[in-house]
mmCIF file of all heavy atoms in Angstrom:
data_model
loop_
_atom_site.group_PDB
_atom_site.id
_atom_site.type_symbol
_atom_site.label_atom_id
_atom_site.label_comp_id
_atom_site.label_asym_id
_atom_site.label_seq_id
_atom_site.Cartn_x
_atom_site.Cartn_y
_atom_site.Cartn_z
ATOM 1 N N ALA A 462 69.831 65.588 -12.135
ATOM 2 C CA ALA A 462 69.302 66.428 -11.046
ATOM 3 C C ALA A 462 67.787 66.336 -10.965
ATOM 4 O O ALA A 462 67.224 66.304 -9.865
ATOM 5 C CB ALA A 462 69.728 67.886 -11.303
ATOM 6 N N LYS A 463 67.119 66.240 -12.096
ATOM 7 C CA LYS A 463 65.644 66.119 -12.106
ATOM 8 C C LYS A 463 65.214 64.775 -11.507
ATOM 9 O O LYS A 463 64.234 64.713 -10.742
ATOM 10 C CB LYS A 463 65.151 66.265 -13.541
ATOM 11 C CG LYS A 463 63.663 66.240 -13.677
ATOM 12 C CD LYS A 463 63.247 66.429 -15.140
ATOM 13 C CE LYS A 463 61.792 66.269 -15.325
ATOM 14 N NZ LYS A 463 61.425 66.342 -16.761
ATOM 15 N N ILE A 464 65.910 63.701 -11.856
ATOM 16 C CA ILE A 464 65.578 62.376 -11.366
ATOM 17 C C ILE A 464 65.607 62.324 -9.851
ATOM 18 O O ILE A 464 64.715 61.835 -9.166
ATOM 19 C CB ILE A 464 66.522 61.297 -11.937
ATOM 20 C CG1 ILE A 464 66.300 61.127 -13.422
ATOM 21 C CG2 ILE A 464 66.314 59.973 -11.228
ATOM 22 C CD1 ILE A 464 67.384 60.304 -14.128
ATOM 23 N N PHE A 465 66.707 62.878 -9.269
ATOM 24 C CA PHE A 465 66.912 62.785 -7.836
ATOM 25 C C PHE A 465 66.476 64.013 -7.065
ATOM 26 O O PHE A 465 66.582 64.037 -5.837
ATOM 27 C CB PHE A 465 68.406 62.474 -7.565
ATOM 28 C CG PHE A 465 68.800 61.134 -8.101
ATOM 29 C CD1 PHE A 465 69.635 61.053 -9.211
ATOM 30 C CD2 PHE A 465 68.340 59.957 -7.554
ATOM 31 C CE1 PHE A 465 70.012 59.835 -9.751
ATOM 32 C CE2 PHE A 465 68.717 58.717 -8.061
ATOM 33 C CZ PHE A 465 69.519 58.662 -9.164
ATOM 34 N N GLY A 466 65.996 65.003 -7.751
ATOM 35 C CA GLY A 466 65.529 66.224 -7.077
ATOM 36 C C GLY A 466 66.619 66.955 -6.347
ATOM 37 O O GLY A 466 66.444 67.324 -5.172
ATOM 38 N N CYS A 467 67.763 67.147 -6.997
ATOM 39 C CA CYS A 467 68.879 67.791 -6.357
ATOM 40 C C CYS A 467 69.458 68.848 -7.280
ATOM 41 O O CYS A 467 68.973 69.073 -8.376
ATOM 42 C CB CYS A 467 69.938 66.747 -6.020
ATOM 43 S SG CYS A 467 70.661 65.894 -7.445
ATOM 44 N N SER A 468 70.521 69.523 -6.802
ATOM 45 C CA SER A 468 71.203 70.518 -7.620
ATOM 46 C C SER A 468 72.113 69.865 -8.662
ATOM 47 O O SER A 468 72.397 68.684 -8.594
ATOM 48 C CB SER A 468 72.030 71.435 -6.703
ATOM 49 O OG SER A 468 73.097 70.663 -6.151
ATOM 50 N N ILE A 469 72.523 70.668 -9.592
ATOM 51 C CA ILE A 469 73.421 70.144 -10.645
ATOM 52 C C ILE A 469 74.768 69.750 -10.048
ATOM 53 O O ILE A 469 75.358 68.737 -10.458
ATOM 54 C CB ILE A 469 73.563 71.151 -11.800
ATOM 55 C CG1 ILE A 469 72.228 71.283 -12.521
ATOM 56 C CG2 ILE A 469 74.676 70.736 -12.762
ATOM 57 C CD1 ILE A 469 72.198 72.267 -13.649
ATOM 58 N N SER A 470 75.257 70.460 -9.036
ATOM 59 C CA SER A 470 76.525 70.099 -8.436
ATOM 60 C C SER A 470 76.402 68.753 -7.718
ATOM 61 O O SER A 470 77.337 67.933 -7.744
ATOM 62 C CB SER A 470 77.014 71.186 -7.478
ATOM 63 O OG SER A 470 76.140 71.373 -6.411
ATOM 64 N N LYS A 471 75.275 68.489 -7.076
ATOM 65 C CA LYS A 471 75.077 67.180 -6.435
ATOM 66 C C LYS A 471 74.877 66.103 -7.492
ATOM 67 O O LYS A 471 75.350 64.973 -7.306
ATOM 68 C CB LYS A 471 73.813 67.246 -5.535
ATOM 69 C CG LYS A 471 73.585 65.952 -4.762
ATOM 70 C CD LYS A 471 74.700 65.687 -3.787
ATOM 71 C CE LYS A 471 74.415 64.435 -3.000
ATOM 72 N NZ LYS A 471 75.553 64.056 -2.165
ATOM 73 N N ALA A 472 74.282 66.423 -8.640
ATOM 74 C CA ALA A 472 74.156 65.468 -9.737
ATOM 75 C C ALA A 472 75.519 65.069 -10.271
ATOM 76 O O ALA A 472 75.750 63.905 -10.581
ATOM 77 C CB ALA A 472 73.286 66.075 -10.856
ATOM 78 N N LYS A 473 76.463 66.041 -10.316
ATOM 79 C CA LYS A 473 77.830 65.713 -10.716
ATOM 80 C C LYS A 473 78.450 64.736 -9.740
ATOM 81 O O LYS A 473 79.142 63.783 -10.140
ATOM 82 C CB LYS A 473 78.688 66.970 -10.753
ATOM 83 C CG LYS A 473 78.418 67.880 -11.929
ATOM 84 C CD LYS A 473 79.314 69.097 -11.859
ATOM 85 C CE LYS A 473 78.924 70.146 -12.875
ATOM 86 N NZ LYS A 473 79.756 71.341 -12.801
ATOM 87 N N ASP A 474 78.222 64.955 -8.454
ATOM 88 C CA ASP A 474 78.757 64.043 -7.430
ATOM 89 C C ASP A 474 78.180 62.660 -7.545
ATOM 90 O O ASP A 474 78.882 61.664 -7.409
ATOM 91 C CB ASP A 474 78.457 64.605 -6.024
ATOM 92 C CG ASP A 474 79.207 65.857 -5.704
ATOM 93 O OD1 ASP A 474 80.218 66.149 -6.396
ATOM 94 O OD2 ASP A 474 78.791 66.554 -4.770
ATOM 95 N N ILE A 475 76.889 62.553 -7.828
ATOM 96 C CA ILE A 475 76.223 61.244 -7.997
ATOM 97 C C ILE A 475 76.809 60.515 -9.212
ATOM 98 O O ILE A 475 77.147 59.335 -9.129
ATOM 99 C CB ILE A 475 74.692 61.396 -8.145
ATOM 100 C CG1 ILE A 475 74.079 61.879 -6.836
ATOM 101 C CG2 ILE A 475 74.046 60.109 -8.590
ATOM 102 C CD1 ILE A 475 72.616 62.325 -6.934
ATOM 103 N N LYS A 476 77.014 61.241 -10.291
ATOM 104 C CA LYS A 476 77.568 60.635 -11.509
ATOM 105 C C LYS A 476 79.005 60.183 -11.258
ATOM 106 O O LYS A 476 79.397 59.092 -11.614
ATOM 107 C CB LYS A 476 77.536 61.615 -12.665
ATOM 108 C CG LYS A 476 78.040 61.024 -13.967
ATOM 109 C CD LYS A 476 77.966 62.038 -15.065
ATOM 110 C CE LYS A 476 78.569 61.496 -16.354
ATOM 111 N NZ LYS A 476 79.936 61.127 -16.245
ATOM 112 N N LYS A 477 79.801 61.018 -10.599
ATOM 113 C CA LYS A 477 81.197 60.682 -10.317
ATOM 114 C C LYS A 477 81.323 59.516 -9.340
ATOM 115 O O LYS A 477 82.319 58.795 -9.371
ATOM 116 C CB LYS A 477 81.958 61.895 -9.772
ATOM 117 C CG LYS A 477 82.290 62.920 -10.848
ATOM 118 C CD LYS A 477 82.841 64.217 -10.313
ATOM 119 C CE LYS A 477 84.081 64.057 -9.530
ATOM 120 N NZ LYS A 477 84.674 65.363 -9.111
ATOM 121 N N SER A 478 80.360 59.330 -8.452
ATOM 122 C CA SER A 478 80.418 58.265 -7.449
ATOM 123 C C SER A 478 80.381 56.870 -8.092
ATOM 124 O O SER A 478 80.880 55.925 -7.504
ATOM 125 C CB SER A 478 79.283 58.386 -6.453
ATOM 126 O OG SER A 478 78.040 58.014 -7.053
ATOM 127 N N GLY A 479 79.787 56.770 -9.259
ATOM 128 C CA GLY A 479 79.747 55.482 -9.974
ATOM 129 C C GLY A 479 78.557 54.628 -9.554
ATOM 130 O O GLY A 479 78.393 53.509 -10.046
ATOM 131 N N HIS A 480 77.695 55.122 -8.687
ATOM 132 C CA HIS A 480 76.559 54.326 -8.218
ATOM 133 C C HIS A 480 75.555 54.047 -9.313
ATOM 134 O O HIS A 480 74.863 52.996 -9.247
ATOM 135 C CB HIS A 480 75.854 55.030 -7.058
ATOM 136 C CG HIS A 480 76.663 55.106 -5.792
ATOM 137 N ND1 HIS A 480 77.292 54.003 -5.239
ATOM 138 C CD2 HIS A 480 76.941 56.139 -4.986
ATOM 139 C CE1 HIS A 480 77.912 54.366 -4.140
ATOM 140 N NE2 HIS A 480 77.726 55.680 -3.966
ATOM 141 N N ILE A 481 75.443 54.905 -10.298
ATOM 142 C CA ILE A 481 74.444 54.703 -11.336
ATOM 143 C C ILE A 481 75.074 54.490 -12.710
ATOM 144 O O ILE A 481 74.433 54.727 -13.727
ATOM 145 C CB ILE A 481 73.401 55.877 -11.369
ATOM 146 C CG1 ILE A 481 74.091 57.205 -11.676
ATOM 147 C CG2 ILE A 481 72.621 55.940 -10.082
ATOM 148 C CD1 ILE A 481 73.135 58.354 -11.956
#
Side-chain angles (χ1 to χ4, degrees):
K463 183 178 173 186
I464 292 168
F465 296 109
C467 62
S468 66
I469 292 178
S470 63
K471 184 63 178 174
K473 286 180 189 178
D474 293 341
I475 292 170
K476 183 179 176 300
K477 284 172 60 175
S478 73
H480 292 310
I481 61 169

